[in-house]
Amino acid sequence: MSAMLWHIALSMAVFVASSGPECPCECEAMRLDLVTKFSETKCINDSLIKAAAGFDPARGQGKPIKLEFLSWRSQWISTLISAFLLRDVLNYEIDFACTDSGFNSNPRIANGHSDVLIEFWLDTYLTEAREYINSKQTVTNVGFLGYDGRSGIFVPKYMEAYYANITSPYAEYVTRTVAFWQSLTLYEIVQLYATQNDSNIVNDLVETASPFTPPWCSAWNPSGEGNNCMDIKAENIAIDIGQVQQMIVNLGLNCTISYWGTRGLETYLSRKMDRSEPVIFKYWTPVRFLAGLPITRVSFPEYSQSCHRNN
């Protein structure tokens, strides 16, 4: 999955288009609290700005800018840092538009419903980026933000002990390659995950989309009965559309994918990892939930845009 290393781009609208979906602008309690604290806090004082930047903030632009405020914490941090700089240093008026993801951010920006999205996942939103940034040129990609966003398949580090106990001629190989996709092709490894009885773990969780099941796999059964493929737990079917599914098909992996939403996935993972039970999942970094957790990212063959276009 080194293929899924994507630089995070900062995008800003420079023109206004004639159409585009409106932005859902109600913030839930946590984001609303951050917006309130921002409005009540001056982070950088004028004397410091004069000394460091050599100009008076009062002579700044003063124009209003609406920043998109998404649903994950790394984006909150980057957006708030930008908001403080824009308001306290450059004297812009700041407003926030809350939405769950960056999908449709390009048409929102092009239509003037918002002005700036920080932490734009270019490959994830490639279709609309091509339309609004490349073709219509009503949105501008102004460069990299400075840190990387990475999506991938993960297993807990304690899985090395499970792999080491496999009684097959490949035991040593599997133990050494816990982080590599080839280990997932072995029957013993597939069964290790596939036969897990998760009935009690998922009984109060709800799948958020139809699962992905390749033709050679049976539908995932939470009890583990009749499963001939391991199930990769994922967050949102709309993220990285078709990429992991195509990877499974290309490599002939005995894997299905089920989707549980952010809270559902994190609840499931917490329950499994608290019990040190086998689990394989798809998620992304940086995200607070994974910070400090002993996990291993599974390495897959190198990804390329050419491969993406041809599948």
Side-chain angles (χ1 to χ4, degrees), residues 241-243 245-247 249-251 303-311:
I241 297 175
Q243 293 187 358
Q245 294 91 326
Q246 189 64 58
M247 184 176 65
V249 172
N250 288 354
L251 299 176
Y303 166 88
S304 69
Q305 283 292 343
S306 175
C307 176
H308 176 72
R309 287 193 298 268
N310 293 332
N311 288 281

Side-chain angles (χ1 to χ4, degrees), residues 88-210:
D88 295 353
V89 177
L90 299 178
N91 200 34
Y92 283 93
E93 295 178 16
I94 298 298
D95 195 8
F96 297 92
C98 287
T99 185
D100 288 336
S101 76
F103 285 106
N104 288 322
S105 60
N106 279 251
R108 285 196 298 267
I109 292 173
N111 198 42
H113 294 294
S114 55
D115 299 303
V116 178
L117 170 61
I118 295 170
E119 197 173 304
F120 176 74
W121 292 61
L122 188 57
D123 276 27
T124 300
Y125 314 128
L126 187 59
T127 300
E128 65 179 78
R130 283 174 174 165
E131 178 181 356
Y132 289 90
I133 296 175
N134 298 338
S135 299
K136 294 181 177 179
Q137 298 186 0
T138 52
V139 175
T140 299
N141 173 6
V142 299
F144 295 126
L145 185 55
Y147 56 88
D148 291 325
R150 171 174 269 193
S151 178
I153 306 297
F154 298 88
V155 296
K157 285 188 178 295
Y158 61 69
M159 291 306 301
E160 293 181 12
Y162 278 96
Y163 284 29
N165 289 330
I166 291 176
T167 56
S168 81
Y170 305 104
E172 182 180 356
Y173 166 78
V174 171
T175 303
R176 286 188 288 107
T177 60
V178 63
F180 297 96
W181 71 273
Q182 288 94 336
S183 62
L184 303 180
T185 65
L186 300 179
Y187 174 80
E188 292 89 345
I189 298 298
V190 172
Q191 289 299 298
L192 180 65
Y193 294 103
T195 57
Q196 290 293 303
N197 186 348
D198 288 343
S199 297
N200 291 332
I201 290 180
V202 301
N203 64 353
D204 60 341
L205 303 179
V206 178
E207 293 186 60
T208 58
S210 298

Side-chain angles (χ1 to χ4, degrees), residues 25-83:
C25 295
E26 291 186 6
C27 300
E28 86 290 346
M30 187 174 292
R31 279 186 285 180
L32 185 60
D33 183 56
L34 290 173
V35 170
T36 301
K37 288 180 178 178
F38 169 80
S39 65
E40 296 173 346
T41 305
K42 185 174 177 61
C43 189
I44 309 171
N45 63 57
D46 291 353
S47 59
L48 177 61
I49 297 169
K50 289 179 181 179
F55 67 88
D56 187 344
R59 298 177 61 188
Q61 300 297 318
K63 300 176 181 178
I65 291 181
K66 182 175 286 187
L67 303 176
E68 293 217 355
F69 213 25
L70 306 185
S71 59
W72 58 89
R73 287 170 173 81
S74 64
Q75 203 272 342
W76 297 353
I77 294 170
S78 298
T79 300
L80 288 170
I81 290 173
S82 301

